[in-house]
Amino acid sequence: MSRTQAIRIRATGCPEVMEWVDVDIERPGLGEIRVRHVAVGLNFIDVYFRTGLYPMPLPGGIGMEAAGVVTAVGDGVTRFSCGDRVAYAGTKPGAYALERVVPEAEVVLLPDGVSFEDAAAVTLQGLTAQYLLCRTYRVQAGDTILIHAAAGGVGLLACQWARALGATVIGTVSTGEKAELAKSNGCDFPIVYSRENFTQRVREITDGKGVPVVYDSIGKDTYIGSLDCLSPLGMFVSFGNASGPLPPVEAFEFTRRGSLFFTRPQLFHYAAKREDLDDMAKDLFNMVQTGKVKPNIGRRYALADVAQAHRDLEGRKTIGSSVLLPEVSGA
């Protein structure tokens, strides 16, 4: 057993509950590997765990995504060796650390041409974009779709990916600056929701037809408006709660708007099988390597300064993806 440093929380609450502490790190056990992190991803799901919206055992670690180098392997590990470049978006929080032991089953090999920072910026969000666009609702050339938070981490990747699939993309953003960013990343019709009614604009853009799918990571503030954007038999995809959880879902609301579909997907269900994770990661990294999807790293923070990163994320001050850098954390 050796020592490392990591962020830990003893109780849920504000960003200040996150503490930079010394922790023990064990040798990897059966089917596990140890990874020295070079870059760590910052995602809104981390806020959900920190605030208690998503329960987890306490005290505990936080963070879902990182990229780095394998430093040790446990018995039974066949896919990885020491020195391999890897990335993961795991099912158990704890990525806010200099080094960590993780199950081999959750890790993917990082191909040449994809940097550690890019991997930390796109693995969780990019795999999310992949299953949303290619599995939850299979976007086809000619589709017109709506993506909320189009200038966020997932949003920018999804706009690029959807454009590469041949779709027309409508996206909502909070500011003119974010509208320009979304447009430069494949969003054909950015809507600044603070100045325009996004439901009316979607109906105008689609000549009253609506869209076949809405990808919504905002939650309660956009819920009803999103339903009103859908065409009959359309799909409402709720994959986040940035403005708060959805109200109780009334089934008849979906019937009277044209037999709509509702889903609340999670990456970890789509990637539960090793072959699915490998296929999704291969698709993602191929999109990155070919330049069809380009990571947008808006901010970099020292891992030890993650409280400020969370404040910026919750205050919607971040644009694109943000990464946390262990090597500048004073370790």
Side-chain angles (χ1 to χ4, degrees), residues 52 104 161 178 237 242 280 290:
E104 175 191 29
W161 204 313
K178 291 184 177 182
V237 183
M280 293 165 66
T290 57

Side-chain angles (χ1 to χ4, degrees), residues 162-177:
R163 170 61 74 84
L165 293 172
T168 297
V169 182
I170 305 171
T172 66
V173 295
S174 60
T175 67
E177 178 187 9

Side-chain angles (χ1 to χ4, degrees), residues 148-197:
H148 285 300
V154 174
L156 289 175
L157 297 175
C159 286
Q160 295 177 50
W161 204 313
R163 170 61 74 84
L165 293 172
T168 297
V169 182
I170 305 171
T172 66
V173 295
S174 60
T175 67
E177 178 187 9
K178 291 184 177 182
E180 289 300 318
L181 179 63
K183 190 168 186 177
S184 68
N185 281 268
C187 181
D188 299 280
F189 297 98
I191 300 170
V192 182
Y193 62 77
S194 60
R195 301 200 298 251
E196 301 178 277
N197 182 303

Side-chain angles (χ1 to χ4, degrees), residues 260-278:
L260 305 180
F261 293 85
F262 173 94
T263 184
R264 183 63 168 86
Q266 276 195 330
L267 166 63
F268 314 120
H269 296 141
Y270 281 84
K273 296 179 180 179
R274 181 74 221 193
E275 57 267 31
D276 288 334
L277 174 60
D278 286 341

Side-chain angles (χ1 to χ4, degrees), residues 287-303:
M287 295 293 281
V288 174
Q289 287 175 301
T290 57
K292 294 178 180 178
V293 168
K294 298 179 181 179
N296 286 271
I297 301 176
R299 295 195 182 188
R300 295 168 175 82
Y301 301 84
L303 178 55

Side-chain angles (χ1 to χ4, degrees), residues 22-255:
D22 294 330
V23 296
D24 292 326
I25 182 169
E26 299 180 353
R27 288 195 55 80
L30 181 66
E32 295 179 330
I33 65 174
R34 191 167 67 199
V35 180
R36 176 180 60 80
H37 293 159
V38 178
V40 176
L42 177 72
N43 299 282
F44 221 99
I45 193 174
D46 304 342
V47 175
Y48 299 158
F49 279 112
R50 193 205 77 222
T51 59
L53 180 63
Y54 290 179
M56 70 176 191
L58 295 175
I62 191 168
M64 304 297 292
E65 169 187 40
V69 178
V70 177
T71 57
V73 299
D75 293 339
V77 171
T78 59
R79 293 176 177 269
F80 304 102
S81 302
C82 289
D84 282 347
R85 302 169 68 251
V86 297
Y88 69 88
T91 58
K92 182 181 178 181
Y96 291 1
L98 299 185
E99 198 168 9
R100 185 189 184 194
V101 172
V102 291
E104 175 191 29
E106 297 175 0
V107 179
V108 295
L109 197 63
L110 197 57
D112 294 338
V114 179
S115 70
F116 291 117
E117 286 194 15
D118 283 351
V122 304
T123 299
L124 181 61
Q125 295 172 349
L127 290 175
T128 298
Q130 199 281 341
Y131 84 73
L132 290 173
L133 298 172
C134 303
R135 294 173 182 246
T136 303
Y137 174 90
R138 297 179 183 272
V139 173
Q140 305 293 318
D143 281 346
T144 298
I145 67 174
L146 173 60
I147 300 172
H148 285 300
V154 174
L156 289 175
L157 297 175
C159 286
Q160 295 177 50
W161 204 313
R163 170 61 74 84
L165 293 172
T168 297
V169 182
I170 305 171
T172 66
V173 295
S174 60
T175 67
E177 178 187 9
K178 291 184 177 182
E180 289 300 318
L181 179 63
K183 190 168 186 177
S184 68
N185 281 268
C187 181
D188 299 280
F189 297 98
I191 300 170
V192 182
Y193 62 77
S194 60
R195 301 200 298 251
E196 301 178 277
N197 182 303
F198 74 83
T199 304
Q200 291 179 2
R201 281 292 293 133
V202 168
R203 289 290 174 178
E204 291 170 3
I205 292 165
T206 61
D207 295 324
K209 297 176 183 178
V211 294
V213 63
V214 175
Y215 296 108
D216 191 338
S217 61
I218 301 300
K220 68 179 182 64
D221 288 355
T222 49
Y223 174 52
I224 296 300
S226 293
L227 297 186
D228 290 335
C229 289
L230 287 166
S231 57
L233 306 184
M235 180 179 289
F236 175 72
V237 183
S238 172
F239 68 102
N241 311 290
S243 67
L246 297 182
V249 175
E250 296 289 343
F252 187 70
E253 292 296 319
F254 294 84
T255 301

